[in-house]
Amino acid sequence: MMGMNPRQMKKLMRQMGIKMEELEGVKEVIIRMENKEIVLKEPAITVITAQGEKSYQIVPGSEEVRAIINVSEEDIKLVMDQTGADYETARKALIEANGDLAEAILKLTEE
């Protein structure tokens, strides 16, 4: 297969029942995990169909990893009760404090 030109390669793939196509206009791909997200920006995506199965090849332009911080309703209510803050303010403070109740309460009472 070494030295095969692209036209021959496409013909051989077609004969083997393998179809490849590029996805156009993709802005980002997000891979969500339990505690983080991986955001692939401006990716080049190739869809490969072989024997009725689709595979996606993703080559990112850039990558960003974001931590996911889950805060419970109980924690939000506790911060609200302790600080007098509204729901969204208490939730935001908890997220910024990585879920640390004491830090969130201190942050809101110092303002």
Side-chain angles (χ1 to χ4, degrees):
M1 290 224 185
M2 288 291 218
M4 186 177 287
N5 73 40
R7 182 177 288 154
Q8 289 174 321
M9 183 63 85
K10 284 183 181 180
K11 182 179 179 183
L12 181 60
M13 288 176 65
R14 202 171 31 250
Q15 288 173 345
M16 293 171 50
I18 300 172
K19 179 182 170 192
M20 292 179 64
E21 66 179 287
E22 298 288 324
L23 286 182
E24 301 293 330
V26 178
K27 303 276 188 224
E28 66 182 16
V29 173
I30 301 173
I31 301 170
R32 288 194 176 95
M33 294 174 273
E34 192 170 312
N35 61 349
K36 67 181 176 180
E37 292 179 336
I38 300 173
V39 181
L40 308 174
K41 303 218 180 218
E42 302 295 328
I45 300 177
T46 305
V47 181
I48 303 165
T49 307
Q51 299 177 351
E53 296 288 325
K54 283 187 179 182
S55 296
Y56 295 84
Q57 179 179 349
I58 303 168
V59 180
S62 65
E63 177 181 318
E64 176 186 337
V65 178
R66 300 179 193 157
I68 296 176
I69 300 161
N70 294 314
V71 293
S72 70
E73 292 295 316
E74 290 175 1
D75 289 350
I76 295 170
K77 288 178 183 172
L78 179 64
V79 171
M80 289 171 63
D81 291 344
Q82 294 293 317
T83 64
D86 62 56
Y87 181 90
E88 279 305 314
T89 303
R91 182 177 175 281
K92 183 179 176 192
L94 276 165
I95 291 171
E96 289 174 359
N98 293 320
D100 185 318
L101 285 166
E103 186 179 332
I105 291 169
L106 284 171
K107 178 180 172 30
L108 291 175
T109 55
E110 289 175 352
E111 291 180 356

